Amino acid sequence: MNKLIRIIIKNFRLIIRSKISGLITIFGPLFITLLVGLAFNNASNYSINIGVYSPEYNDFVNSFITKLEDAQFRVLKTESKELCIDNIQQGVVNICMTFPKSFEIASNDNKDVSNEIKFYVDPSRMNLVDSVIDMISTKVASRTQEISAELTTEILTTLDNSKSTIEKQDPRFVSLIDMNDQMQSKQGQLKSALGEMNFEFNADTYKVGDIKQVETTLSSSILAENSSINEKINESMLLIEEILSYFNEDPALNGSATETDLEELEEAIVDIDEQLEELNTETVDALETAVDNLETQIQATKEKFDLAIDKRVEVSGGISYNEQNLETSLNTMMLIMKELQDAKKEINQIKVTDSETIVQPVKITKEEVVSKTYLNYMFPSIVALVIMLVAILFSSTIVMMEKRSKAYFRNLVVPNPDILYLVANLLSTLILVVLQLILILSVSYFVFDVNVLTNILPTSVILLLITVLFSIIGILIGVAFNSAETGTLAAISITSISLFLSDVILPLESMPLYFIDIARFNPFVISQFLLRRSILFNASLQTIASDSYFISQVSALFLILIYISLFALIIIILNTFIKKHIIRKYVLRIAPKNIGKVVDDTAGKKLDPVKKIDVLLDEAREMINIRDYKRAHVLYLSINELYTLLPKKKKEEVFDKIVNLQEKIKRKT
Amino acid sequence: MSKDALIKVRNLTIIFGKLLVLNNVNLDIKQGEIFGIVGLSGSGKTTFLNILGGVIDPTVGKIEYRFLEKTRKKSKDKKSKYNYVQSNQLKVRQIFGFTAQDPSFYLKLTVDENLRYFSSMYGIKKELREKNMAKVLELVGLDHCKNSLAGQLSGGMMKRLDIACALVHNPDVLILDEPTSDLDPLLRAQMIELIKRINSQGTTIIIASHFLKDMEKLCTRIGVLHKKQLGTVGTPDHIKNLYTKNEEIHLETYPGKYDKILKKLKKSKKSKVSEIINKGHKLILYSPDSIKVLHDILHILEKQKEHIIDIEVAKPSLKEVFESLVKGKNEQTD
């Protein structure tokens, strides 16, 4: 333990006294954290300059620009599209946004209007471009959405008004249909009444011929009677005349009243006769006239009736036509009403009548589940990054410093196992990382308001494991590389590769699938995952341990442990080889041309014993060639000693050669 | 082979890949001696030391270490007299102190922190640690700058700190790989003194160096590594007598027209000069008859109007012996 403490103290003294190394390894990560903390401890957008070009800045264009300015983007209006693009190339703006001429919403009447916004980006700044496009598109989409919402509201209002109008038409339609019904009914009645009207006129039924005949007969009769009456009157007159002639002849009766009366009677008969005469003539004429008139009238009436019949047919046809039209009209009305009802029903069936919802049926909202600043989201990554940087750089640096140190040889000859130095280096790194973490976590907690204490136990365990893992990786780098330059390069390369194969710079998901699978094995990615689980989501150690990472049944925590064991084993094996290589190269200073050979067989022992014997046999033969038989004999003794250590099969391989050498030496001596 | 050897090396062969580095080396190192290993660059000196210290394992052969009484008391394995280094690496490292060619400690730590750290790595208790630290700091002469950063020390101080780090756990054996390289003559002398002082306190020292002069001054015994094998082993004088009868003449003159001097010397048939080295500012001559050669040289110098600045006649250095030895061996093999 005392030895461990001494080595650790020594490590820290060396690091502190190597000012630049100390500054880089101790203050570098703190500086990074401070910068990252200050840079990302906000919730606002990046400071992005947007170049804008529009041939005319109408209200519609300005509404987009205002939207971007409201979102804290810096908008720079340019005079031309080319200037705007130039500004991207010169880095004045991050993105260029161009509006077409007469930028407005395309109406039905004016479909030629262009409403396309073009973005010009610098693809060499891919990470920024994606973010910027995403952010600006969001803002532009937001304005577009607003416009879309306005248009949709307009459509919806119209639709609503139409629905109201349709609804208002309902009673009117009902009334109209009723009226139509009534009219149809009346038409039926009229038609029926008209049908019932008998315009049948048979002039024969008036028997005008008979009347005429009767009139003729009557005229004949009257004339006959008149003749008869005239005869009677004449007879009466003759009688009277005779009577009066009696009276005139009888003076006694002459002059009497009777005579007078007879005279008067005679006069009356004459009058009657005259009147009768007149009557007969006039009556017959009147009768004739009346019959003629009657006949005329009957004819006229017949004609009228015929006309009435024609008109009735015409009216009846009209009524039938009207009836049909009324029927058609009713059907049409019914159809219209049905369609209007359907339309209303369909309008009613539109469940979503909110324009915002129609424009954006699915709302995307980012809920800040953990905290308010980017630093919070990035904190696990920052911590993992700091641990990775400090642990790899510090542990590789101290191993490398040790290897380059003049004291390396003395540490080789002290009676300590190699593992002691490895453990001491690991503990040194752990102490440094723990100190830095305490500082980082304190600064984050007190200055940047990052809460890391809620799940302190699992977080501490994970931090410890991660630190051990990265320290071991650093030690491995330190052990594997001989020069400080290549070692540092390797350390930086490995940290860079780890960063690139993580989602710190670009999302993992943007990589090909097979690359994602590889990247998930990246210790840094695993560390990020574990720290996110513990710091952001407060997962317990038990939960984290049972979390399957991406290989079923294997948790990230277990994967870290596997890595630690694997790398530790590699370090122990590699260290044995590298140590011997260093001894030969720097302590024994064996010529470089032989180093390659030595590396293949760093221990000498590792060389196949048969090969060793071959080397000695070659040397012995060389000695015989130069007649140094004494040395050849000495070599022969060494060969014999090696031969005794060989297994039986190997002995058979070299037996003949050794016997051959022995005979040669014997012959020469 | 000594029965009381502290370290026994037997049939040591090491192959790196297809490269045979050491071949069947046998050696005994006695307790309390300063044993030097010399050899050309790439001859396997450092490899040999690292195998001795248990840093690397041999391909063939074994190294046995006899625990001293003080160590055996701490050891659980009290019965066995010798232990294999390879099978007791951690235990053996406890009794070895090792300094490599380059100082091995933390430049960004102070002298005190380095010693404290490495003593902790040997698991020494606090009281003993403080005592050992004070002792080694005084021994290496760094007690006045124990709070200085190691990286701010001079080259010699760094070497001494390195040795202090190797000694802080009070080892039985101190292995030093090129301890005097990269040091100026004054510092080298100081380092030699330091090593002698450490040895005088009972620590067995094994040194590998190509500074043969230093080795000659320091080592009680020397072994020459050549062509993957350990050749002659013995005291410096023994080795010198074994391999050469030449004497060494160092000559420095003004204006120093050494080419002309050499031309004249070569014409002289009486002078038996086995080897001449013209270093530009001086001449080094090897001859089995140095008096005759000196006589000839003085005569030539007088004629050439050269003024003697310095002239020295000495016994051949270990370097010359080593070169002779290597050359001889090469010739033998050729």
Side-chain angles (χ1 to χ4, degrees), chain A residues 164-182:
Chain A
S164 303
T165 310
I166 291 169
E167 278 171 353
K168 276 181 196 171
Q169 302 311 316
D170 274 359
R172 287 177 189 163
F173 264 107
V174 171
S175 161
L176 209 60
I177 288 164
D178 281 349
M179 281 169 71
N180 202 306
D181 264 347
Q182 285 171 15

Side-chain angles (χ1 to χ4, degrees), chain A residues 589-600:
Chain A
R589 294 175 183 177
I590 296 168
K593 61 176 181 181
N594 294 314
I595 293 291
K597 296 171 185 172
V598 175
V599 172
D600 297 336

Side-chain angles (χ1 to χ4, degrees), chain A residues 46 71 164 235 238 256 269 274 334 481 536 562 598 630:
Chain A
Y46 303 119
S164 303
E235 286 177 3
L238 288 169
S256 67
I269 289 167
E274 283 175 2
M334 292 293 276
F481 291 91
L536 290 182
I562 291 172
V598 175
K630 195 178 171 188

Side-chain angles (χ1 to χ4, degrees), chain A residues 3 125 175 185 308 387 444 478 540 543 567 596 621 641 645 667:
Chain A
K3 288 180 182 179
R125 305 186 69 190
S175 161
S185 171
I387 291 174
S444 305
S540 71
T543 313
F567 288 138
R621 284 184 203 119
E641 194 173 331
L645 303 171
R667 275 203 303 275

